[in-house]
Amino acid sequence: MTTSPKPAFSGTLTVVLGIGAVQGCWLYWLHWSTRINDWPAGSPTWFLPLLALGIFIPTGIQLVLLDRFRGRIAWVVLALLTGLIAALSAYQGWIASPGLSDGSFFRFPFWAAMTAIAFISLPFLQTRLATNTWTHYASLFRYSWQNALFLMEAALFTGVFWLLLLLWEQLFALIGIRFFRDLFYDPLFSYPVTAIVFSGALKLVAARENITLLLRRHALGLLLWLLPLVAFIAALFLAALPFRGLSSIGKAGVSTAMMLWTITFLIQFYNAAYQDGESPPPYPRALRTILRIAVVTLIALGVLSFYGLSLRVSQHGWSVSRVWAAAASALGLLYGLGYAAAAWRSEPWMGAMGKVNTYMALACLGLLLLLLSPMLSPHKITVDSQVARLLDGRTKAREFDYNYLRFSLGNPGLDALAALAKNETHPDKETIRGLAQTALAKRYAGDRVDVGVEAIERKLVVIPAGTAIDASFVAFLKANQQNPGIVPMCAHYLDQEACRVFSIDLNRDGIPEILAGSGWETGAFSKRDGTWKRIGGFNLSGAEIERAYVQGKIKAVASKWQDLEIDGKRYRITPLND
């Protein structure tokens, strides 16, 4: 009696659960470090790679174990993947290192990119282990869908498991027993148990692979019938576009995102129809021909997404999200060109799509690695773009978003701010240096930084230019610098624009008062008995006063309506139409 050979190393339930236990304890340790504010939580350069490795590597090993894990090649690939994840995560952690108030800027792109890298890489390894070749498309297709469905089913199982635990603790809470609530919500319990249950669910799902295969066929069998609809929507949109003009795309800030979503749906539904390429989709012959032609909509949408993106970049420069959108647009356009080439092949239907998908998977992998590395970092590209717009005058010094560099672009942004704080070449270098220093001094984006007594005088712009300002007024501002209720905001906060100072006699006593302000508020100050006091203010900006003076349209006018005095108190009318 003979038995079929077994793989050199297979994923027994004990091994899979053991990996899950190690993963759970690893994640608990990282969580605990955040609770006690100890290493590695205080260092994103260490914490982020340790977290990424704790999530992706055990899960990847488990997925490979479910099928086979033989040969040195598996260890080499997983070691390479571990090194890549660690290096890329460490770089992203370095970007976020300098105590940012909100590190969310890298969360979705980073984790989505890391998930994509792992999701693309594993099927190539699994295919190599199963077929001794890296690019057997039917195997790549099978493992891609198998991994996705295994993970979704295991996640669903784990979710239901936790619902039962919540039911458990709620039932006992009804009779006053809180022990289970305290136990289930304790991270020392929840992290290891969740990881172990998820691992066990993966093994259970893999043991019923036929059901997963049936589920995949059923899902794709339904999705392929949505391809004609999405192709019709895309074609109808492109047909209507010439009658509305490209300007409508330029006005929409979300135009590129809409194009990319349409491209994504088209690619996914074309793949649902093609599947592993071993048999044509069950469309009528005429519909298959129409869908061959419809692949040109992918090219058109890719070009339009680049056009919409280029308009935003020309208006506002690069941002992190625009760099990611440009990368997605490039991939969408390449997919369109590849599918168009595949459509020329008469039989089988879209026959070269398998090769296109294989090459595009490698292209996606390479591009993601570049985007997460210093070579094509969206943060560096954004910093260079925004600073260039400031230095060449496309963005005015007072309109530039210094907080964006400080709080959204990490270390590259901080380095750029430090350089701007020492700028010696820009015509408005004083403004740039001051606002850059203000942003650097902030701990949070909403912080207001005081001007400082010695800097007040540099904030004053006298109207008309060259006019001397009363030294006692400057001394008054310095003496009251810490009281924004007295001094104008522009003399109190460094991020306010310069204070326009204008002398005018408001009460016809022959002694001029001073108006000083910026933005929307201008204070009025009068010298009484040798001492300056704030007498009120106007709801107009210093810039409006300066513009009115240049145009010769400013003067003091007596009030048309007199005040009302009641029991020694004066009340001033606020006219609706004066």
Side-chain angles (χ1 to χ4, degrees):
M1 178 175 164
T2 61
T3 58
S4 58
K6 294 182 180 180
F9 184 68
S10 61
T12 65
L13 181 61
T14 303
V15 173
V16 172
L17 293 180
I19 294 174
V22 172
Q23 181 183 33
C25 293
W26 181 279
L27 295 176
Y28 170 73
W29 167 60
L30 293 176
H31 171 82
W32 180 249
S33 74
T34 64
R35 291 275 299 272
I36 63 175
N37 197 26
D38 194 11
W39 188 90
S43 173
T45 308
W46 284 98
F47 184 81
L48 197 58
L50 290 173
L51 179 59
L53 291 174
I55 292 173
F56 292 110
I57 296 304
T59 306
I61 292 175
Q62 288 170 335
L63 287 171
V64 177
L65 279 174
L66 296 177
D67 189 69
R68 64 191 74 220
F69 199 88
R70 64 187 179 198
R72 187 169 51 185
I73 190 66
W75 293 107
V76 171
V77 171
L78 283 172
L80 178 62
L81 189 60
T82 299
L84 281 174
I85 290 176
L88 297 176
S89 302
Y91 175 68
Q92 294 296 314
W94 171 82
I95 288 178
S97 289
L100 299 184
S101 60
D102 182 9
S104 62
F105 71 91
F106 69 82
R107 286 177 187 166
F108 176 76
F110 169 75
W111 291 111
M114 278 296 179
T115 302
I117 289 172
F119 188 78
I120 293 171
S121 302
L122 282 179
F124 282 97
L125 173 59
Q126 291 166 303
T127 297
R128 174 65 176 78
L129 296 175
T131 66
N132 289 322
T133 180
W134 295 95
T135 57
H136 184 258
Y137 183 71
S139 296
L140 289 172
F141 173 82
R142 172 205 161 196
Y143 283 116
S144 295
W145 274 94
Q146 174 181 289
N147 292 342
L149 290 173
F150 278 4
L151 291 172
M152 286 190 289
E153 291 178 73
L156 178 62
F157 181 92
T158 307
V160 174
F161 170 82
W162 268 104
L163 286 176
L164 292 176
L165 291 190
L166 293 176
L167 175 62
W168 182 348
E169 64 93 357
Q170 288 290 325
L171 284 174
F172 279 85
L174 291 176
I175 56 176
I177 299 176
R178 305 286 180 177
F179 170 78
F180 296 109
R181 172 175 294 181
D182 296 337
L183 173 65
F184 297 158
Y185 286 99
D186 189 338
L188 184 58
F189 174 88
S190 59
Y191 277 96
V193 168
T194 301
I196 291 171
V197 170
F198 184 83
S199 301
L202 279 176
K203 185 64 177 175
L204 292 174
V205 170
R208 292 158 179 78
E209 187 179 352
N210 290 337
I211 297 177
T212 301
L213 177 62
L214 182 63
L215 179 62
R216 185 194 79 194
R217 289 175 176 172
H218 181 68
L220 293 179
L222 291 175
L223 291 177
L224 66 86
W225 290 105
L226 293 175
L227 174 59
L229 175 60
V230 72
F232 175 74
I233 293 171
L236 189 63
F237 167 75
L238 294 171
L241 189 59
F243 299 97
R244 303 296 296 178
L246 291 177
S247 59
S248 57
I249 292 178
K251 294 177 183 177
V254 295
S255 59
T256 299
M258 293 297 99
M259 303 293 174
L260 292 176
W261 275 113
T262 307
I263 290 171
T264 300
F265 282 124
L266 278 168
I267 292 172
Q268 293 302 318
F269 291 141
Y270 265 107
N271 277 281
Y274 181 75
Q275 298 193 29
D276 56 9
E278 294 183 355
S279 58
Y283 298 135
R285 187 177 186 85
L287 183 56
R288 290 203 300 268
T289 302
I290 292 172
L291 291 175
R292 284 180 187 270
I293 300 172
V295 295
V296 298
T297 59
L298 274 171
I299 301 174
L301 290 170
V303 172
L304 287 174
S305 67
F306 269 118
Y307 172 73
L309 184 63
S310 68
L311 293 178
R312 302 294 293 174
V313 172
S314 64
Q315 292 168 354
H316 306 291
W318 288 102
S319 66
V320 173
S321 60
R322 289 178 198 129
V323 175
W324 283 104
S329 298
L331 292 174
L333 183 57
L334 288 175
Y335 263 110
L337 293 171
Y339 284 6
W344 283 102
R345 187 168 176 174
S346 57
E347 293 297 337
W349 184 79
M350 302 288 289
M353 261 187 66
K355 289 184 178 180
V356 173
N357 285 339
T358 302
Y359 294 141
M360 285 305 304
L362 296 173
C364 289
L365 183 61
L367 185 56
L368 288 172
L369 294 175
L370 289 174
L371 287 167
L372 292 179
S373 74
M375 288 182 282
L376 205 61
S377 169
H379 301 90
K380 290 183 64 177
I381 292 172
T382 300
V383 168
D384 293 342
S385 170
Q386 295 299 326
V387 171
R389 291 176 65 86
L390 170 64
L391 297 181
D392 65 19
R394 283 176 291 173
T395 302
K396 295 181 180 180
R398 295 194 181 281
E399 295 175 355
F400 185 75
D401 192 350
Y402 300 89
N403 280 347
Y404 185 49
L405 293 183
R406 170 64 180 87
F407 294 102
S408 297
L409 296 174
N411 260 315
L414 285 179
D415 292 343
L417 265 183
L420 291 175
K422 301 175 183 178
N423 184 275
E424 294 289 346
T425 59
H426 195 277
D428 201 1
K429 59 185 179 184
E430 292 292 339
T431 300
I432 289 177
R433 286 204 299 254
L435 293 176
Q437 290 167 0
T438 300
L440 285 170
K442 292 181 177 182
R443 293 186 61 192
Y444 304 101
D447 283 355
R448 309 298 296 272
V449 179
D450 291 351
V451 168
V453 173
E454 298 305 319
I456 286 180
E457 202 161 355
R458 296 198 299 269
K459 293 274 288 180
L460 304 180
V461 176
V462 185
I463 305 169
T467 305
I469 188 172
D470 190 331
S472 63
F473 179 68
V474 178
F476 162 77
L477 293 179
K478 291 182 176 180
N480 293 277
Q481 195 270 339
Q482 295 298 324
N483 191 344
I486 295 179
V487 301
M489 299 288 283
C490 52
H492 183 74
Y493 292 122
L494 198 57
D495 57 351
Q496 290 279 317
E497 62 182 83
C499 284
R500 267 79 168 192
V501 180
F502 178 71
S503 296
I504 187 172
D505 187 0
L506 293 175
N507 58 359
R508 293 171 294 178
D509 64 353
I511 302 174
E513 279 68 44
I514 288 181
L515 306 183
S518 66
W520 57 269
E521 174 253 9
T522 294
F525 304 86
S526 178
K527 193 173 186 180
R528 298 176 179 176
D529 301 325
T531 303
W532 285 96
K533 294 182 179 180
R534 180 165 181 154
I535 59 174
F538 298 92
N539 290 328
L540 77 164
S541 69
E544 289 178 281
I545 293 177
E546 184 176 18
R547 184 166 54 251
Y549 175 82
V550 171
Q551 297 173 354
K553 297 180 179 179
I554 186 171
K555 61 180 179 179
V557 180
S559 177
K560 179 179 178 180
W561 305 101
Q562 297 187 64
D563 296 343
L564 188 65
E565 184 176 315
I566 300 176
D567 195 19
K569 293 184 179 179
R570 298 185 65 173
Y571 299 88
R572 179 162 298 172
I573 188 172
T574 303
L576 295 177
N577 239 331
D578 201 353

